[in-house]
Amino acid sequence: MVTLLIYGCKQKEYESIRTKCADIVAKVSDEKLIIYDTTECEKTPDFAIVNICTEGGLDNVYKVRERFKDVAIMLISNTRISPMQYLNPAIHPLSLIISPYTDNEMETVLYDFIQKRLDENEDGIWIDSYDGKVKALYSNILYVEALNKMLNIRLETVEYSVYGSLEQYEKKLPTTFLRCHRGVIVNTRFIEKVRFSENYIRLKNGEQIPLSRTYKQNFKEMMK
């Protein structure tokens, strides 16, 4: 569950932000988005979006930060408010948009805001690379393949090789991953089509990976 607090926004802006955030969370996460106002929110939410343009807006964001010390805050401000009033350690906003803004600008800022925070909290696989240790987030992994006594971790733009067995990784990977072959575990979020009659899975990037008869039923259940 991803939780969001929206504060200080007028109804039209509130509804627009709510719709955009729901769409973004659905794209980047398997979690459900729950939206609160300040009276409903008892525990620290994952995100808070606060409009400080209205009267008392700056006081409101200070109250939000005081109450929810670890929340990721995005501010909606305007050119009449000095950045010195909110770009400080007491508020520590993670993101900012200046009003007036376009619909596309808001969508872009919201996407970066939500994605960045979820990435910080998301688990993944730490891998030794030439550039040092890198973290391959589970949400970015297309599939894991056993290859030449190693495991190939395939992402959209890069791949890494690690030591370990497919059975070990199958136990710790999220439920979005399914075994499709004795040598492959696929992230179902990247599946575009499953061809049961031809024994393969096509991913959204065009790649095809094998689907063995042993694991077909699991995919049929998933697609119901």
Side-chain angles (χ1 to χ4, degrees), residues 58-201:
L58 280 167
D59 289 337
N60 290 338
V61 75
Y62 276 103
K63 290 175 183 176
V64 169
R65 174 56 76 201
E66 184 178 358
R67 184 178 175 190
F68 306 116
K69 291 182 170 47
D70 298 324
V71 68
I73 293 179
M74 173 180 158
L75 297 180
I76 302 172
S77 185
N78 59 36
T79 56
R80 296 190 299 274
I81 303 173
S82 168
M84 298 294 291
Q85 295 184 271
Y86 54 80
L87 295 181
N88 57 61
I91 296 179
H92 187 55
L94 186 65
S95 187
L96 169 71
I97 190 168
I98 301 297
S99 181
Y101 53 79
T102 67
D103 213 44
N104 287 338
E105 287 170 343
M106 174 57 85
E107 189 167 347
T108 299
V109 172
L110 284 172
Y111 187 93
D112 291 342
F113 172 56
I114 293 171
Q115 180 72 72
K116 182 178 180 180
R117 185 63 168 180
L118 291 178
D119 283 354
E120 288 176 354
N121 295 333
E122 186 184 349
D123 288 333
I125 301 171
W126 284 101
I127 298 169
D128 289 311
S129 72
Y130 292 113
D131 298 321
K133 281 192 174 292
V134 297
K135 188 178 184 181
L137 299 177
Y138 289 139
S139 61
N140 293 336
I141 297 174
L142 276 66
Y143 58 84
V144 181
E145 179 183 22
L147 195 63
N148 298 326
K149 299 183 180 180
M150 298 283 289
L151 291 181
N152 182 39
I153 310 295
R154 179 74 166 92
L155 282 70
E156 289 191 83
T157 58
V158 68
E159 57 186 44
Y160 300 101
S161 292
V162 298
Y163 291 102
S165 71
L166 212 57
E167 286 70 25
Q168 290 173 329
Y169 276 82
E170 188 174 20
K171 291 177 182 178
K172 65 182 180 180
L173 287 168
T175 55
T176 53
F177 287 79
L178 276 180
R179 189 83 166 252
C180 61
H181 185 270
R182 63 188 176 92
V184 184
I185 301 172
V186 64
N187 187 344
T188 58
R189 291 179 59 193
F190 290 98
I191 292 177
E192 181 179 74
K193 183 180 294 185
V194 180
R195 300 289 297 201
F196 292 105
S197 61
E198 299 176 49
N199 301 317
Y200 75 81
I201 296 168

Side-chain angles (χ1 to χ4, degrees), residues 195-212:
R195 300 289 297 201
F196 292 105
S197 61
E198 299 176 49
N199 301 317
Y200 75 81
I201 296 168
R202 188 168 73 195
L203 304 181
K204 292 177 182 178
N205 69 345
E207 282 192 71
Q208 292 184 9
I209 55 176
L211 173 63
S212 66

Side-chain angles (χ1 to χ4, degrees), residues 42-59:
E42 297 179 359
K43 296 182 179 179
T44 300
D46 297 301
F47 305 96
I49 299 172
V50 184
N51 189 324
I52 61 173
C53 301
T54 55
E55 184 178 351
L58 280 167
D59 289 337

